Amino acid sequence: MSRSVWPLCAVFILGALPASAWAQNALSALDANDDGAIGRQEAIDGQRKTFEQLDRNSDGQLDKDELAASRVPDDDHASADVRRARRKAIARTFANLDRDASGGVSLAEYQAAMTPYFDALDSNDDGVLDGAELRRAIEDDDTPAN
């Protein structure tokens, strides 16, 4: 999986915040049982919720336009090269997510792409992501690559 998928993988896109604030917001957003960590089921539930939010037409598939809408909007002042690079990045991300090349990304494909990130971030293999692991994810951008 390419690094270009990482912004989508974070079920909550808060990258502009400092790592400690991002980690706290991630915990607040996904820690359904208030135990101070994100368990695998909580991550899966967060993936489903994010997918549903991205799927603006509620057809059960993400298309390129829906994926593009989840990204930072194009700056009107960005050069043509920057806008072209952004379009290419979205196309690569979409191709990585659309594993069956059907032209749409299903929830199953989306979750299959996200699961390796949970496993990679769970550095102590305890089945949960705690605040320290989430902070390291942002500070190090230590994500799996395909």
Side-chain angles (χ1 to χ4, degrees):
M1 177 173 318
S2 76
R3 284 178 146 340
S4 65
V5 178
W6 174 239
L8 265 180
C9 293
V11 200
F12 29 79
I13 302 175
L14 300 170
L17 297 173
S20 60
W22 185 90
Q24 186 56 49
N25 280 308
L27 283 171
S28 296
L30 296 176
D31 185 13
N33 64 3
D34 292 324
D35 66 352
I38 300 169
R40 184 171 300 280
Q41 187 59 51
E42 290 168 321
I44 290 169
D45 294 344
Q47 292 167 357
R48 179 176 290 110
K49 182 178 177 180
T50 297
F51 182 89
E52 290 168 355
Q53 290 171 343
L54 294 173
D55 184 15
R56 293 183 176 190
N57 64 3
S58 300
D59 67 351
Q61 296 281 316
L62 299 181
D63 60 33
K64 284 183 187 176
D65 291 337
E66 289 167 327
L67 181 63
S70 72
R71 298 292 184 113
V72 175
D74 274 340
D75 178 0
D76 291 337
H77 302 292
S79 71
D81 289 339
V82 169
R83 289 192 305 272
R84 188 174 20 262
R86 287 178 181 162
R87 284 192 303 273
K88 286 182 179 182
I90 289 168
R92 281 192 308 273
T93 300
F94 188 82
N96 284 334
L97 291 171
D98 185 16
R99 293 177 177 201
D100 65 3
S102 66
V105 177
S106 68
L107 175 60
E109 287 173 311
Y110 182 80
Q111 288 182 316
M114 302 303 119
T115 300
Y117 287 94
F118 183 94
D119 296 335
L121 297 177
D122 184 14
S123 59
N124 62 2
D125 295 321
D126 66 353
V128 298
L129 302 179
D130 59 30
E133 289 167 323
L134 293 170
R135 279 189 298 281
R136 273 194 303 277
I138 297 305
E139 291 168 349
D140 299 340
D141 191 25
D142 187 17
T143 57
N146 222 11

